[in-house]
Amino acid sequence: MHEAHSISSGQATGVREQITQALNHLDHVLPGQAPILDFVHHNTIHGFQHLPFEEALAEFEELTGISAYLPETQNRAFYRQGRISDDDIFAALAHDAALQAEQAVCKVRDRLIARKEIYRIALLFDLQPLAVSQFNWQIEELGALDSVQADVPAQIRNQLLAVSDTPENIVRKLWEGILEKLGLKQVGLHPENLLD
């Protein structure tokens, strides 16, 4: 048998006030309508307009779970379609001074490489970190330093191969140059020896 719980009128008033306050708060921060595809006459994040734009979007997403940005895969598809250009990427990077997009990172022959070029690559390609054991396995078993990956765009592949007398070793030479520049040494352990 269920026991009947009675709430005193004072408790009920307190609960009602809490609910009313919560609803009033939600009414202020949640949109009054769903987004319209072609015409928007209502700021759906008006409750966050006191914040800088990026912060407002982040807080809105945290509260609602709704992302204000398209997924990276969609943006990469737009780039491949020409809807997003390198100029668009560089303009967005220049917008955030903290990125120091114009700062030179290194010089290759007579060409300076700026941070923005590295950021561009990181945005356009789904670069995932590898554990040392995974990297060594790819070198040993898949010959990762002896060929250009299949997903490298043809234009970049051709540029890479054009700067080397021995095109088959260009990736290995590039990797060795990076290690030298950073003052690092390649740990060449075979995957079976990594447990030792």
Side-chain angles (χ1 to χ4, degrees):
M1 223 187 216
H2 298 289
E3 283 187 30
H5 293 286
S6 63
I7 298 176
S8 70
S9 65
Q11 289 175 322
T13 303
V15 171
R16 270 192 216 103
E17 286 175 9
Q18 287 177 343
I19 292 172
T20 301
Q21 287 175 356
L23 290 173
N24 285 336
H25 175 70
L26 290 174
D27 184 47
H28 179 68
V29 296
L30 292 177
Q33 66 185 48
I36 300 171
L37 291 178
D38 298 319
F39 174 76
V40 177
H41 70 283
H42 178 74
N43 179 1
T44 56
I45 61 170
H46 70 276
F48 300 89
Q49 62 192 7
H50 62 285
L51 297 171
F53 185 69
E54 288 84 6
E55 286 180 40
L57 294 179
E59 284 203 23
F60 183 75
E61 182 173 349
E62 186 176 326
L63 177 69
T64 65
I66 299 170
S67 178
Y69 298 104
L70 291 172
E72 291 175 4
T73 53
Q74 184 64 54
N75 286 311
R76 289 183 185 121
F78 286 156
Y79 181 84
R80 288 189 302 274
Q81 296 165 6
R83 292 181 63 184
I84 297 174
S85 69
D86 287 340
D87 290 340
D88 297 325
I89 292 172
F90 293 145
L93 294 172
H95 178 70
D96 187 347
L99 294 175
Q100 301 176 347
E102 295 298 330
Q103 182 184 35
V105 176
C106 65
K107 185 175 182 180
V108 177
R109 296 200 174 122
D110 293 332
R111 185 173 182 273
L112 286 175
I113 307 294
R115 283 178 175 234
K116 68 181 181 181
E117 296 173 87
I118 296 169
Y119 293 144
R120 176 189 164 276
I121 290 169
L123 289 168
L124 295 179
F125 300 96
D126 187 21
L127 304 174
Q128 297 295 318
L130 291 175
V132 172
S133 59
Q134 293 170 316
F135 184 61
N136 282 328
W137 183 82
Q138 289 199 11
I139 291 171
E140 291 284 327
E141 302 299 324
L142 301 178
L145 297 180
D146 299 317
S147 62
V148 179
Q149 285 184 204
D151 64 343
V152 173
Q155 177 187 1
I156 303 300
R157 175 187 300 275
N158 293 338
Q159 287 175 349
L160 276 173
L161 299 178
V163 298
S164 176
D165 299 334
T166 54
E168 63 277 357
N169 293 328
I170 187 66
V171 176
R172 184 173 295 277
K173 288 180 179 179
L174 179 61
W175 177 244
E176 289 168 356
I178 291 169
L179 291 175
E180 182 180 331
K181 182 74 174 172
L182 296 175
L184 300 173
K185 292 187 183 215
Q186 171 66 37
V187 178
L189 293 176
H190 188 278
E192 293 170 357
N193 296 332
L194 289 174
L195 294 175
D196 299 334

